[in-house]
Amino acid sequence: MKLSRFKLLLIAPSILITACGYGLKETYNGIPYNSTNFLENYYNVWNDGINPNLEKNKITAKKDEVALDEETNNVFLSLNDNNFHKVEPLWASYAYTYDKDSVPENKDLKAYGPDVKLSKYSDSFKYGVTSKLFDGQMFCNGDFQQARTQLEPNNKDQKKGMGVLLPKESNDASYFMTNFKGSVVKKDDQNLPTCYSDISLHIGLYLKNDTGYTYQPITYKISNVPTNSGDDHFLEPYAGRWEMYICFGFSLEKFDTNRLCGFSMQYSVDNIYNGKYSQEEKDDPENTKAKPIYVDEEVYHALMVYEVSFPHTTWH
Amino acid sequence: MSEETVNKKVRFDFSNYGIVVGFLCLEVLAFVSFYLGHSFLLYGILSLVLMLLLLLVTFRQIKVDQISSFAFFIFPIFVFGLLTALSRFNYNSVGAIGVAESIFVPICLTCIGLSGFLSTYISKFKIRTALLVIYSALGIFVLINLIATMVYYVPFYTLIYKNSYFVYDGKASLVPIGSMAYMLYGFQISEVSIGYWSLFPSLLLTAVIPSFFIKYKENRNVFLIYLVLSILAFISLLFTISKLTLLSDLVLIVGIAIIILAGKLKQYRGVFNWMMIAIGAIVVIAIIILFLNAQKNWGFTTGLRNAISKNALMDRLFNSNRFAISINAILQDLFSKEKIFGIPVGLYAYQYENGVKQVLSGFWIFDNLQSSGLFGALFFLGGIIIAIKKLFNYIDHGEDEEADRYQIAGYVLGFLFVSLILFDNYPLINANNLSPFFTSSPLIIVLFLLGYAFNKVKPVIKEEKPQENKEEKDDEIIKI
């Protein structure tokens, strides 16, 4: 064999070898957002292209903000909700109390989270901290900060939350779904009291255009978000676990999803209550129990987000 | 009638199939060299089949004195395998190898050693071809591993991302990026420790040895193949360089240099022998110190332990590093009943006396104590020492060409030494699969080569020696 052929054999893999590096897309000095200190786990990361705190972001168009309507947008707060049945045509074929690695006892059913996770559609969703949101794990299962993304509420000066540009684009997203619960830590004694939060959730959809991104802001007020409602890891077997989470979602039928390529999640805390009260009870001036228990200065609040998905979507 | 008998004999003379079994032998060597992760059971079955076929083909040629001499090597290996199989450590610890595979430990180790021995009787079996097959399979394996790793990372990532972590599919990496690499483990690409990954290119680096003995003009293709394999090994090690691999590779390069120089400069053989003896003596003294230092229940070792603790360097070497800590745990109470024959069947690993936990150090000499007991480890060491002594005879008086003899020595010694530093019993980052030293494919190849070298030593003509000595003496007298 001629020597030149050997040279070619060496050059070809050398070029291939130096051209990759998939595992280094996001690296961190130490395990990221895995601290025992509550404040160090806030994930306030925005992709530069859609970061509202940056003047040089690439948001070139903004649509009018939409306040979601329960009827018009089929908003659901639980997977038992009728609106969920309207947006999810396969709802009867899913088991909802099973998680990432577990298999439903009824073999005819599929576990919901693992079947609608974004990473199922492409491995490109598996990289980075936000892959925690796309892995199909909808419950804590004792994994704590390794399973969830901890959002910080917006304050008066700065928008917090997260903005994620997805590695793929879609034109046919049918509905948006996210699964979360609240958490609160008292500033003075670091206690984690069990309570319920009223929040205003701000979802952003980002559509690719010729020059950058079109931003579609969406808001919805959610009452009685379970906050510090215990760890489902100790519940047998999955009894009542959905009581601890809000599975929020809405239909994207009324929205333009042409070249959908990103989303953002922000929220602000309206009030925190020591129990679960109806709106009538909260509005009743004589009801002394249904009154806010903390003000912003007393506590650190967080939204623990476990999963985000655009189920049954084709990604390009 | 007599003609018919002759015809029948010819028909059932299996020695005619020597070429077929020789080819099968090459296939098995290629398969084992192309490492398939946790496939020891498969290696065991293949070794058994190969040994039986070789026996069928060669049993008429086997000489009693040769096989009885070979028994000094293979019997201790068999005893080691048997004690390993009986030790509950191997099928009762986390991610262990299982009962079925444990039974195949003595079968595989003995059969592959015997296969090496029996292959010497097949005239069509050429060791140069076998070595080419072994190294080529290893080279393809190393190339796959390098490409897999570089798809995920970049060259020199072990230095650039030494303390960095990444998150994949919702889970943060358990160890820093610089401490892991991607490898074909079984039938899938898996994350493994960088030490374990480096073991294979380090072994491939010994392909440089024949390049010093084969002349390019005479055997151009073979020369170039080994050169390319050496370059591939060098690139692999360079791209994944770290403190651990640098240390092991330096040891290996020094070892290779000694082997090549010993081959080239025969007049200085005495110096090399003394160097080897000196290195061996240092290792033996270090093991004795480690052993005595670990015996916390022996009163007379207190003085030594205090002396080691007070000296910063000695303390660092024998007490305060992760290897020394685990070796101390293994060597502690070495003469307790659980550690002499290994953990007996019926006793669980965690039922050790004195609460000594099962630990593995990564040094096969010490890990054999844990997985096979004191007797098992000593039998293995004894068998290997006998075989290495025979290997040195083979280097000097082997029937094969010089390049092949030194290459076998390079592979065998290279693996036994480098695996002392790089071998990881739990290679997979994201799983607890125990992959002990005695199930590793390079060891199986080493046993084959040792078995082969055992029976390929030219008989030394003793009668000529006194005359030579006499002449030398006469010369000396004249000089005086």
Side-chain angles (χ1 to χ4, degrees):
Chain A
M1 197 179 280
K2 288 179 181 176
L3 191 63
S4 56
R5 289 186 191 170
F6 277 100
K7 282 180 183 172
L8 279 174
L9 276 174
L10 276 176
I11 290 164
S14 301
I15 293 166
L16 281 172
I17 282 160
T18 50
C20 302
Y22 279 108
L24 303 168
K25 282 182 178 173
E26 284 185 37
T27 59
Y28 306 88
N29 193 16
I31 296 174
Y33 307 101
N34 191 37
S35 170
T36 49
N37 185 344
F38 187 83
L39 296 181
E40 288 176 8
N41 293 328
Y42 277 132
Y43 185 72
N44 293 315
V45 179
W46 286 74
N47 190 292
D48 286 351
I50 56 173
N51 190 344
N53 299 314
L54 281 181
E55 286 183 13
K56 289 183 179 176
N57 63 37
K58 290 182 180 174
I59 298 173
T60 53
K62 184 182 176 185
K63 295 191 175 187
D64 292 338
E65 185 172 83
V66 174
L68 291 174
D69 178 70
E70 200 172 321
E71 293 299 317
T72 317
N73 302 106
N74 290 326
V75 178
F76 57 90
L77 295 170
S78 152
L79 297 178
N80 288 326
D81 204 317
N82 280 337
N83 280 342
F84 174 70
H85 297 169
K86 288 177 189 171
V87 296
E88 177 54 72
L90 302 172
W91 68 272
S93 63
Y94 285 125
Y96 297 100
T97 51
Y98 294 87
D99 211 343
K100 194 179 178 184
D101 301 318
S102 57
V103 180
E105 287 168 16
N106 184 345
K107 300 292 179 195
D108 296 331
L109 299 178
K110 291 181 282 186
Y112 177 69
D115 199 55
V116 300
K117 65 180 180 181
L118 284 181
S119 62
K120 184 188 166 189
Y121 303 109
S122 166
D123 279 351
S124 56
F125 288 99
K126 290 184 176 176
Y127 296 98
V129 168
T130 49
S131 65
K132 286 192 276 189
L133 300 171
F134 311 142
D135 65 348
Q137 184 168 359
M138 298 182 74
F139 309 113
C140 179
N141 282 344
D143 290 337
F144 305 101
Q145 49 267 37
Q146 289 166 29
R148 65 204 180 199
T149 304
Q150 181 177 324
L151 297 190
E152 188 176 2
N154 285 340
N155 59 35
K156 290 166 191 171
D157 307 319
Q158 205 175 23
K159 287 186 175 178
K160 301 288 185 177
M162 63 176 171
V164 182
L165 279 180
L166 301 170
K168 303 271 181 185
E169 291 178 24
S170 172
N171 296 328
D172 64 349
S174 59
Y175 72 98
F176 172 82
M177 184 280 294
T178 180
N179 189 42
F180 56 80
K181 63 185 180 184
S183 186
V184 69
V185 174
K186 289 178 76 176
K187 286 183 182 176
D188 52 359
D189 58 7
Q190 297 289 301
N191 268 343
L192 292 116
T194 301
C195 48
Y196 289 85
S197 309
D198 286 0
I199 63 165
S200 297
L201 189 63
H202 308 282
I203 303 291
L205 298 179
Y206 298 86
L207 315 171
K208 195 99 199 277
N209 59 36
D210 293 340
T211 50
Y213 302 99
T214 303
Y215 171 42
Q216 169 66 72
I218 298 162
T219 64
Y220 191 71
K221 282 186 180 293
I222 304 175
S223 301
N224 295 320
V225 175
T227 305
N228 294 344
S229 48
D231 193 295
D232 62 354
H233 182 59
F234 302 103
L235 289 177
E236 290 293 332
Y238 308 113
R241 71 190 320 176
W242 279 111
E243 296 297 315
M244 300 170 189
Y245 300 93
I246 293 284
C247 190
F248 166 79
F250 57 92
S251 167
L252 291 170
E253 210 174 63
K254 306 281 181 191
F255 295 97
D256 178 14
T257 56
N258 187 30
R259 299 191 71 190
L260 174 71
C261 66
F263 72 91
S264 63
M265 275 182 82
Q266 303 166 70
Y267 82 104
S268 51
V269 184
D270 298 331
N271 284 306
I272 303 169
Y273 298 90
N274 63 358
K276 196 173 183 178
Y277 302 108
S278 66
Q279 196 56 46
E280 288 76 26
E281 286 175 306
K282 289 171 186 172
D283 293 340
D284 183 1
E286 290 182 1
N287 190 333
T288 52
K289 280 186 176 178
K291 296 297 169 213
I293 53 170
Y294 301 121
V295 293
D296 283 351
E297 290 72 23
E298 288 176 321
V299 294
Y300 299 115
H301 198 282
L303 207 64
M304 305 299 195
V305 186
Y306 287 86
E307 192 72 11
V308 172
S309 185
F310 297 88
H312 313 303
T313 300
T314 310
W315 296 94
H316 308 286
Chain B
M1 189 73 181
S2 61
E3 280 178 16
E4 281 179 11
T5 314
V6 169
N7 285 337
K8 274 183 184 176
K9 276 183 182 174
V10 170
R11 200 179 295 160
F12 292 100
D13 188 359
F14 289 104
S15 60
N16 292 338
Y17 296 95
I19 191 163
V20 179
V21 179
F23 183 72
L24 183 74
C25 203
L26 295 180
E27 292 289 310
V28 171
L29 288 174
F31 183 76
V32 177
S33 291
F34 190 79
Y35 183 52
L36 277 177
H38 205 55
S39 306
F40 184 73
L41 193 63
L42 201 54
Y43 300 152
I45 294 164
L46 280 174
S47 306
L48 180 64
V49 171
L50 181 66
M51 192 276 289
L52 290 175
L53 290 174
L54 279 166
L55 203 60
L56 270 179
V57 171
T58 61
F59 77 101
R60 286 171 194 273
Q61 304 167 50
I62 298 170
K63 290 170 185 164
V64 179
D65 60 327
Q66 286 172 338
I67 193 81
S68 57
S69 164
F70 182 67
F72 282 100
F73 160 57
I74 208 66
F75 180 71
I77 298 295
F78 174 75
V79 174
F80 162 77
L82 197 63
L83 289 171
T84 304
L86 292 172
S87 171
R88 206 165 174 88
F89 178 91
N90 298 300
Y91 53 90
N92 209 39
S93 51
V94 177
I97 60 172
V99 179
E101 290 175 36
S102 289
I103 292 162
F104 271 89
V105 172
I107 293 173
C108 179
L109 299 184
T110 314
C111 290
I112 201 73
L114 271 168
S115 299
F117 175 81
L118 295 174
S119 67
T120 55
Y121 292 111
I122 297 176
S123 58
K124 297 285 181 187
F125 180 80
K126 302 289 177 203
I127 194 65
R128 175 157 293 185
T129 317
L131 286 168
L132 208 58
V133 161
I134 290 169
Y135 273 90
S136 300
L138 185 63
I140 295 167
F141 178 63
V142 168
L143 182 66
I144 291 170
N145 293 346
L146 179 64
I147 290 172
T149 303
M150 290 305 139
V151 164
Y152 287 97
Y153 302 142
V154 291
F156 309 111
Y157 73 94
T158 39
L159 301 177
I160 304 166
Y161 299 96
K162 194 179 169 188
N163 298 315
S164 297
Y165 290 75
F166 69 88
V167 180
Y168 181 76
D169 200 17
K171 296 279 179 259
S173 53
L174 295 174
V175 296
I177 291 168
S179 303
M180 65 167 109
Y182 287 86
M183 169 176 170
L184 184 69
Y185 193 88
F187 292 98
Q188 61 180 7
I189 302 287
S190 305
E191 295 101 335
V192 295
S193 63
I194 189 70
Y196 193 77
W197 190 94
S198 302
L199 182 62
F200 297 92
S202 297
L203 204 52
L204 189 64
L205 199 62
T206 55
V208 79
I209 292 172
S211 309
F212 286 89
F213 293 95
I214 298 170
K215 286 177 181 168
Y216 173 70
K217 285 178 184 173
E218 290 174 9
N219 210 338
R220 201 169 57 174
N221 287 350
V222 175
F223 180 89
L224 285 173
I225 287 170
Y226 282 123
L227 190 67
V228 169
L229 292 174
S230 311
I231 293 169
L232 175 66
F234 181 73
I235 290 173
S236 295
L237 293 170
L238 186 70
F239 281 8
T240 57
I241 195 161
S242 67
K243 198 166 75 178
L244 178 74
T245 56
L246 192 64
L247 176 73
S248 60
D249 295 335
L250 279 176
V251 170
L252 185 72
I253 288 166
V254 169
I256 291 171
I258 290 173
I259 289 170
I260 292 167
L261 288 173
K264 293 283 178 188
L265 307 170
K266 287 197 170 62
Q267 65 270 35
Y268 298 110
R269 181 64 63 82
V271 178
F272 292 118
N273 286 346
W274 279 111
M275 277 172 69
M276 298 291 278
I277 290 166
I279 292 168
I282 291 167
V283 171
V284 169
I285 290 167
I287 290 173
I288 290 169
I289 294 172
L290 276 167
F291 172 72
L292 292 174
N293 188 42
Q295 308 311 314
K296 295 184 173 58
N297 298 331
W298 292 1
F300 69 93
T301 62
T302 313
L304 177 75
R305 280 186 278 123
N306 287 343
I308 290 171
S309 306
K310 283 173 186 170
N311 184 298
L313 179 66
M314 296 281 275
D315 188 55
R316 179 80 184 136
L317 279 174
F318 295 105
N319 282 332
S320 8
N321 65 70
R322 64 192 167 99
F323 301 112
I325 290 165
S326 47
I327 290 169
N328 275 343
I330 291 170
L331 293 176
Q332 195 182 338
D333 299 325
L334 197 59
F335 299 110
S336 62
K337 64 181 178 184
E338 290 86 3
K339 286 195 173 179
I340 287 181
F341 292 107
I343 305 168
V345 176
L347 190 70
Y348 287 88
Y350 54 79
Q351 288 174 332
Y352 262 18
E353 280 181 1
N354 305 322
V356 178
K357 289 178 184 173
Q358 47 173 350
V359 284
L360 291 165
S361 63
F363 289 81
W364 57 264
I365 287 182
F366 302 106
D367 288 347
N368 283 351
L369 293 167
Q370 188 79 315
S371 60
S372 318
L374 177 63
F375 275 95
L378 288 177
F379 269 99
F380 182 78
L381 208 58
I384 289 291
I385 288 169
I386 289 166
I388 286 176
K389 193 175 176 300
K390 199 76 176 175
L391 181 70
F392 282 119
N393 282 346
Y394 170 74
I395 293 170
D396 286 338
H397 312 291
E399 290 174 13
D400 300 311
E401 287 183 36
E402 204 175 29
D404 304 327
R405 284 183 274 143
Y406 280 93
Q407 195 177 1
I408 289 176
Y411 190 97
V412 171
L413 298 176
F415 174 69
L416 292 177
F417 279 105
V418 173
S419 60
L420 280 176
I421 303 169
L422 295 176
F423 195 81
D424 190 346
N425 289 286
Y426 292 95
L428 292 175
I429 300 286
N430 293 319
N432 278 330
N433 289 346
L434 180 69
S435 181
F437 176 73
F438 47 82
T439 64
S440 62
S441 69
L443 179 71
I444 294 166
I445 300 288
V446 160
L447 291 176
F448 180 91
L449 294 176
L450 285 174
Y452 174 86
F454 217 96
N455 209 27
K456 273 285 184 178
V457 182
K458 282 180 197 165
V460 180
I461 302 160
K462 291 176 182 174
E463 290 169 0
E464 291 176 3
K465 279 187 174 177
Q467 286 178 351
E468 283 175 6
N469 290 340
K470 198 182 176 184
E471 283 173 8
E472 281 173 11
K473 281 177 183 175
D474 290 342
D475 288 344
E476 283 172 16
I477 291 163
I478 292 162
K479 280 175 190 173
I480 290 164

